[in-house]
Amino acid sequence: MTQYQYDLHTHSTASDGALSPTELVARAAQQGVTHLALTDHDGTEGIEEARQAAAAKGIELIPGVEISVSWSGGTVHIVGLQLDITNPALQQGLSGLRDYRRQRARQIANKLEKAGIPGALEGAARYASETMLGRVHFARFLVDNGHATDMKDVFKRFLVKNKPGYVSGQWASLEDALGWIHAAGGQAVVAHPARYKMTNSKRRRLLREFSSLGGAGIEVSSGNQHPEEVRVMAKLAQEFELLASCGSDFHSPDHAWIELGRMVTMPPFVTPIWTQWH
Ligand code: AMP
Ligand code: MN
Ligand code: MN
Ligand code: MN
């Protein structure tokens, strides 16, 4: 019997990942992943290359995206899976988000300049693809120029609330994000639901709203997650009658604690999202 292994949340150089789509697919295949979703932030530019690489390696590539959403005063991430990436509504929506990213990048750079760090916009852009500029690119610039020791340090001291370089994001609405995913024939999944700093009652409100908008699932198992937390997320999936997804959220081989395809196994009482695919 063939053993399938799913990783339904990953990043490439088309957003803030360190590996090109081809390198990512090769690493996934090496790790035994049989079904890989490429889910770059707010764009699908890496999908075509990943599709070709996956065909060559004999693994299945699921076209995906991770959409930045502003909800109830904070940012949440919604993954779209099994997308028709040629859909105009999806691409228009994503293109608007990337425009906003450029605007936000200028604001971040201005704030850093006021904090005594000039040249951050050009600096960050050197680490980014042409399409998507994000906080990770600023982080690399800040680390490489000696303003912080590593990724963890830089996200503690610069790019978060009440620190220099913080800009509160103005992303898509939950309704729009799900609308684009559904227009493209895809399924919407709440990314890493345990990671948001929100009360449990707020998390439930998010899932209720997500569900009522036709959302399909939540990531029950995410990279580097504690087994107990996975259980709690599985219970939530069960309670809200949502399908269960799992994804490493792999960004880079440098983060040794997160590897492609390596996640805590989901409890048997959830319904994996891929049961609807085969
Ligand atoms: P952005 O969408 O541009 O605001 O950037 C969000 C991305 O920054 C996430 O997807 C992560 O890749 C990265 N990130 C956010 N917080 C942290 C953190 N504390 N440590 C490392 N990376 C982080
Ligand atoms: Mn990221
Ligand atoms: Mn995310
Ligand atoms: Mn992600």
Side-chain angles (χ1 to χ4, degrees):
M1 202 187 98
T2 327
Q3 192 69 37
Y4 290 152
Q5 196 180 350
Y6 294 82
D7 190 334
L8 304 178
H9 184 154
T10 67
H11 297 273
S12 76
T13 47
S15 65
D16 55 8
L19 303 183
S20 70
T22 303
E23 293 165 338
L24 183 81
V25 166
R27 192 181 180 96
Q30 203 174 38
Q31 295 293 329
V33 173
T34 58
H35 294 72
L36 176 76
L38 178 60
T39 56
D40 277 309
H41 297 285
D42 306 322
T44 59
E45 281 71 20
I47 297 291
E48 212 32 69
E49 184 186 321
R51 217 196 296 264
Q52 284 172 28
K57 291 278 179 194
I59 72 174
E60 185 127 337
L61 193 277
I62 290 105
V65 73
E66 181 176 17
I67 301 181
S68 310
V69 166
S70 291
W71 182 80
S72 195
T75 301
V76 299
H77 286 169
I78 302 296
V79 160
L81 297 174
Q82 302 287 18
L83 302 168
D84 168 11
I85 62 166
T86 66
N87 181 268
L90 173 69
Q91 290 304 339
Q92 261 171 40
L94 297 180
S95 156
L97 287 178
R98 292 196 300 274
D99 288 345
Y100 170 66
R101 278 187 173 281
R102 282 186 278 275
Q103 187 184 326
R104 185 191 67 154
R106 282 193 297 274
Q107 293 170 342
I108 292 175
N110 286 340
K111 289 199 166 181
L112 288 173
E113 178 144 23
K114 287 199 185 100
I117 302 171
L121 187 60
E122 300 70 27
R126 277 202 289 275
Y127 297 89
S129 71
E130 272 168 37
T131 49
M132 186 271 182
L133 200 49
R135 277 187 293 166
V136 166
H137 307 116
F138 281 95
R140 293 202 183 120
F141 162 78
L142 289 167
V143 171
D144 288 354
N145 285 273
H147 299 290
T149 51
D150 56 27
M151 277 299 212
K152 216 174 156 167
D153 185 41
V154 82
F155 270 97
K156 218 158 56 196
R157 291 174 41 217
F158 286 101
L159 304 168
V160 291
K161 216 165 192 161
N162 301 322
K163 304 288 169 173
Y166 175 70
V167 175
S168 70
Q170 285 156 36
W171 306 109
S173 68
L174 190 62
E175 193 173 1
D176 281 347
L178 267 66
W180 304 334
I181 291 168
H182 294 154
Q187 290 171 297
V189 172
V190 177
H192 41 64
R195 209 188 297 162
Y196 308 120
K197 287 195 182 83
M198 49 174 81
T199 61
N200 281 331
S201 70
K202 189 167 173 181
R203 207 182 316 275
R204 303 169 91 83
R205 186 156 65 81
L206 170 64
L207 295 185
R208 247 193 321 276
E209 213 171 297
F210 174 78
S211 224
S212 74
L213 290 168
I218 68 171
E219 283 177 359
V220 163
S221 189
S222 186
N224 196 30
Q225 211 173 10
H226 192 280
E228 183 48 36
E229 208 168 65
V230 172
R231 246 196 101 71
V232 173
M233 294 305 119
K235 286 280 182 200
L236 279 178
Q238 193 179 37
E239 178 186 338
F240 288 89
E241 297 182 14
L242 290 162
L243 298 167
S245 185
C246 66
S248 63
D249 204 4
F250 180 92
H251 279 75
S252 158
D254 294 344
H255 309 162
W257 55 96
I258 291 181
E259 184 51 88
L260 289 163
R262 205 196 292 154
M263 288 145 288
V264 171
T265 308
M266 300 198 285
F269 61 81
V270 298
T271 308
I273 193 162
W274 53 82
T275 54
Q276 304 200 327
W277 301 347
H278 301 297

